[in-house]
Amino acid sequence: FVLRSAGHGDVIAVVDCNFPAVEVASKTTTGTLVTLAGVDCPDALNAIGSVMPIDLFVDEPLRNMCPSPGLELPPAGVE
């Protein structure tokens, strides 16, 4: 339902356990946190991308975060 309700300019965030997802989700249109338990980020992105095209009407349709130069992810964050 959440993906079907999304439209141009809406933001879909695929995040890890360090992101304050419950807090952010509570301030969205649906107020709903969608949890994909047992799914890694690449699989989640592939599934979402198969039904939701990238919105090319905005300047930055995709964003990502990565560790600062010289820092490494902890083992749980490596995918």
Side-chain angles (χ1 to χ4, degrees):
F1 176 77
V2 174
L3 285 179
R4 180 174 234 151
S5 300
H8 293 292
D10 286 342
V11 174
I12 298 168
V14 178
V15 301
D16 66 8
C17 63
N18 296 307
F19 187 81
V22 173
E23 175 71 18
V24 172
S26 71
K27 295 177 174 67
T28 65
T29 304
T30 64
T32 304
L33 173 64
V34 177
T35 303
L36 302 175
V39 178
D40 62 17
C41 279
D43 287 343
L45 292 171
N46 284 329
I48 293 166
S50 73
V51 296
M52 179 67 70
I54 295 171
D55 192 348
L56 300 177
F57 298 100
V58 295
D59 292 334
E60 294 181 358
L62 301 172
R63 297 182 204 173
N64 73 307
M65 292 180 64
C66 59
S68 299
L71 297 178
E72 294 182 18
L73 287 172
V78 177
E79 287 189 14

